[in-house]
Amino acid sequence: MKFIAREGRDRGDVKLYALSTCVWCGKVKKLLADLGVKHEFIDVDELSGKQQTAIREQLDAIDPDWRFPCVVIDGGRRCICGYKEKDIREALGL
Amino acid sequence: MSEQDRPGGDITEEQVEALVARLHKQTQAGGYYLNPDEEFTRILVRSLMKNQARYGYQACPCRLAAGEKLEDLDIICPCDYRDADLERYGACYCALYVSAAAARGERTVSSIPERRPRARQDRPQFKQPAATEQAAVPALPYPVWRCRVCGYLCAREEPPGVCPVCKAKKDRFERFM
């Protein structure tokens, strides 16, 4: 699956699961860019049905209550859903 | 604005503005309000247009649509959860719609919890209609239809093509009595 990589300060493995159409997802993308944190993101609505199912299963295993936008740090050590600027900053130590 | 903030790149600003204007008119007539943050609202309206183009209906921009109308019926904008979220949080899930207080700028809106049931069978379009759950319904000259989006009731042979209050389409009505 094609995650898009963004270079920046290394704060661990930071993955953002997003929707291309979601305004709150857009805000998290902008926050990560503004913080200059190295991360990868993927717009799940742009994937095929099969790929979407695979992503849903991955997220179900991390947090059964996940929703978009979903920031997963270090493979699930932290999972922050929704646009929660304070929580995201705190989780990244910024 | 960067590319990542602009879903539906082939949709023109004029088309977006036209739909924003139409939604403003419709919502005000029904007692609803669009988010007063114009930039925020334009992004969401553009996203609705992108979903219209790819799914054939305006699925909620902030939820992952299945791409099949019946599966997504409860999240076609305005969604079945909007009114309850307006009451509780002053905004719907994506915050395209806000409460009167939020529209006046007296209340800020933020990212809210998801109200849509996770289990498919618990979603409104798959639940048993209210009419069949009732033991005894008095004989009525007409069936009563309920709009699942706003609760509007009407007694007639068929539901209206469009809800006169919230503008939801006919397929969002359920038999109430």
Side-chain angles (χ1 to χ4, degrees), chain B residues 155-166:
Chain B
R156 47 190 280 175
E157 294 296 348
E158 289 279 321
V162 174
C163 174
V165 176
C166 74

Side-chain angles (χ1 to χ4, degrees), chain A residues 26-39:
Chain A
K27 282 180 180 283
V28 175
K29 285 177 189 170
K30 185 169 185 308
L31 176 65
L32 292 177
D34 290 349
L35 291 172
V37 171
K38 182 179 162 209
H39 66 281

Side-chain angles (χ1 to χ4, degrees), chain A residues 64-75:
Chain A
D65 289 325
W66 68 271
R67 63 196 176 90
F68 297 105
C70 188
V71 176
V72 175
I73 299 169
D74 295 336

Side-chain angles (χ1 to χ4, degrees), chain B residues 143-147 152-154 156-159 173-175:
Chain B
V144 177
W145 303 95
R146 177 182 181 274
C147 173
Y152 167 75
L153 296 176
C154 60
R156 47 190 280 175
E157 294 296 348
E158 289 279 321
F173 279 79
E174 64 189 0
R175 179 84 183 263

Side-chain angles (χ1 to χ4, degrees), chain B residues 53-70:
Chain B
R54 62 180 172 174
Y55 303 130
Y57 46 85
Q58 294 179 356
C60 175
C62 295
R63 293 171 165 122
L64 182 60
E68 289 169 44
K69 196 170 187 185
L70 180 60

Side-chain angles (χ1 to χ4, degrees), chain B:
Chain B
M1 202 161 46
S2 70
E3 189 53 40
Q4 72 185 23
D5 296 330
R6 290 195 57 157
D10 51 341
I11 299 162
T12 68
E13 274 306 301
E14 289 71 28
Q15 289 171 318
V16 173
E17 287 303 325
L19 183 53
V20 169
R22 201 169 81 224
L23 286 174
H24 262 302
K25 211 170 139 191
Q26 277 182 8
T27 52
Q28 279 168 2
Y32 293 95
Y33 303 89
L34 293 184
N35 194 314
D37 180 338
E38 290 179 14
E39 179 62 20
F40 189 99
T41 295
R42 271 201 299 274
I43 294 170
L44 284 171
V45 168
R46 174 179 287 274
S47 294
L48 285 177
M49 294 170 82
K50 178 176 178 176
N51 284 347
Q52 174 75 48
R54 62 180 172 174
Y55 303 130
Y57 46 85
Q58 294 179 356
C60 175
C62 295
R63 293 171 165 122
L64 182 60
E68 289 169 44
K69 196 170 187 185
L70 180 60
E71 295 297 322
D72 293 332
L73 203 56
D74 57 326
I75 55 162
I76 294 175
C77 186
C79 68
D80 285 16
Y81 314 103
R82 175 185 66 172
D83 287 27
D85 282 335
L86 289 177
E87 281 292 321
R88 175 76 176 79
Y89 301 105
C92 70
Y93 187 67
C94 71
L96 175 61
Y97 290 95
V98 299
S99 66
R104 287 193 301 265
E106 293 164 11
R107 182 175 181 177
T108 56
V109 301
S110 56
S111 181
I112 65 170
E114 172 63 297
R115 182 181 293 272
R116 186 189 200 201
R118 205 148 269 265
R120 181 181 181 272
Q121 71 271 16
D122 294 335
R123 294 175 182 167
Q125 68 270 43
F126 298 116
K127 279 179 96 167
Q128 289 286 0
T132 61
E133 288 167 5
Q134 290 177 2
V137 177
L140 297 167
Y142 294 99
V144 177
W145 303 95
R146 177 182 181 274
C147 173
R148 281 200 296 263
V149 176
C150 73
Y152 167 75
L153 296 176
C154 60
R156 47 190 280 175
E157 294 296 348
E158 289 279 321
V162 174
C163 174
V165 176
C166 74
K167 312 301 175 200
K169 298 215 174 87
K170 184 176 186 168
D171 54 10
R172 309 296 287 280
F173 279 79
E174 64 189 0
R175 179 84 183 263
F176 186 67
M177 287 177 84

Side-chain angles (χ1 to χ4, degrees), chain A residues 13-90:
Chain A
D13 176 31
V14 180
K15 283 193 170 64
L16 166 63
Y17 297 83
L19 299 176
S20 71
T21 50
C22 171
V23 73
W24 300 113
C25 299
K27 282 180 180 283
V28 175
K29 285 177 189 170
K30 185 169 185 308
L31 176 65
L32 292 177
D34 290 349
L35 291 172
V37 171
K38 182 179 162 209
H39 66 281
E40 292 180 305
F41 76 90
I42 193 162
D43 284 328
V44 180
D45 60 313
E46 307 275 24
L47 303 175
S48 70
K50 224 178 193 173
Q51 290 175 320
Q52 287 183 11
T53 305
I55 293 269
R56 279 208 300 266
E57 284 168 2
Q58 272 177 31
L59 291 173
D60 282 344
I62 295 168
D63 178 357
D65 289 325
W66 68 271
R67 63 196 176 90
F68 297 105
C70 188
V71 176
V72 175
I73 299 169
D74 295 336
R77 183 175 60 80
R78 284 292 302 272
C79 179
I80 302 159
C81 297
Y83 175 62
K84 295 179 187 149
E85 180 175 349
K86 200 168 148 264
D87 293 359
I88 294 169
R89 281 176 179 272
E90 186 193 271

